[in-house]
């Protein structure tokens, strides 16, 4: 019986440790996204408006890092980033930060296109 309780305690300690590590790594990825946003350049768009430069590849890799299908997520994110010039911070949620362009884009099946 003591062996089972020790194994259970060890399992719980390892689970808490892994959860803490996951939170630390997700906060690091949020900081990387913020670096991409703050280091942005301004480029002229085709309609002469000043558009912020966003490194879509790096931002989408961070955004899709925890996705169950990262290649599919990166492809959709890249399309949304190139059209909207924005990628929300974090690995999920925060879609409203990029505005209606990002939140209103739908697939042919009427699902949200942008991750």
């Amino acid at each position: 019986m003591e062996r089972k309780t020790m194994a259970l305690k060890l399992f719980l300690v390892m689970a808490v440790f892994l959860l803490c590590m996951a939170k630390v790594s997700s906060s690091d990825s949020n900081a990387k996204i913020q670096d991409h946003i703050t280091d942005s350049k301004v480029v002229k768009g085709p309609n002469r408006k000043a558009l912020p430069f966003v490194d879509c590849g790096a931002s989408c890799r961070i955004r899709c890092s925890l996705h169950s299908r990262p290649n599919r997520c990166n492809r959709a994110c890249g399309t949304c980033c190139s059209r909207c010039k924005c990628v929300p911070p974090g690995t999920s949620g925060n879609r409203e930060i990029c505005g209606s362009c990002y939140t209103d884009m739908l697939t042919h099946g009427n699902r949200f296109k942008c991750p």
Side-chain angles (χ1 to χ4, degrees):
M1 188 68 170
E2 279 185 36
R3 218 173 198 178
K4 286 184 181 179
T5 57
M6 286 296 286
L8 182 61
K9 287 179 184 179
L10 181 62
F11 175 75
L12 290 175
V13 168
M14 291 297 288
V16 170
F17 176 74
L18 290 174
L19 286 173
C20 291
M21 293 303 293
K23 284 186 179 186
V24 168
S25 67
S26 69
S27 66
D28 288 345
S29 64
N30 288 342
K32 289 177 186 175
I33 290 173
Q34 291 301 326
D35 289 344
H36 286 294
I37 293 171
T38 56
D39 294 342
S40 63
K41 303 171 191 170
V42 175
V43 295
K44 293 283 184 173
N47 55 0
R48 307 263 186 213
K49 288 183 180 178
L51 299 172
F53 174 79
V54 178
D55 184 6
C56 291
S59 298
C60 286
R61 271 193 301 277
I62 294 168
R63 178 82 176 164
C64 297
S65 62
L66 299 178
H67 199 275
S68 61
R69 299 182 70 184
N71 292 338
R72 186 178 200 181
C73 179
N74 276 320
R75 187 175 64 231
C77 181
T79 302
C80 296
C81 180
S82 64
R83 291 181 189 172
C84 302
K85 305 293 185 230
C86 182
V87 176
T91 54
S92 66
N94 304 321
R95 297 166 45 106
E96 65 281 350
I97 292 174
C98 287
S100 64
C101 174
Y102 197 89
T103 57
D104 295 343
M105 205 177 302
L106 300 174
T107 64
H108 292 290
N110 287 329
R111 293 184 177 179
F112 293 115
K113 178 173 187 72
C114 305

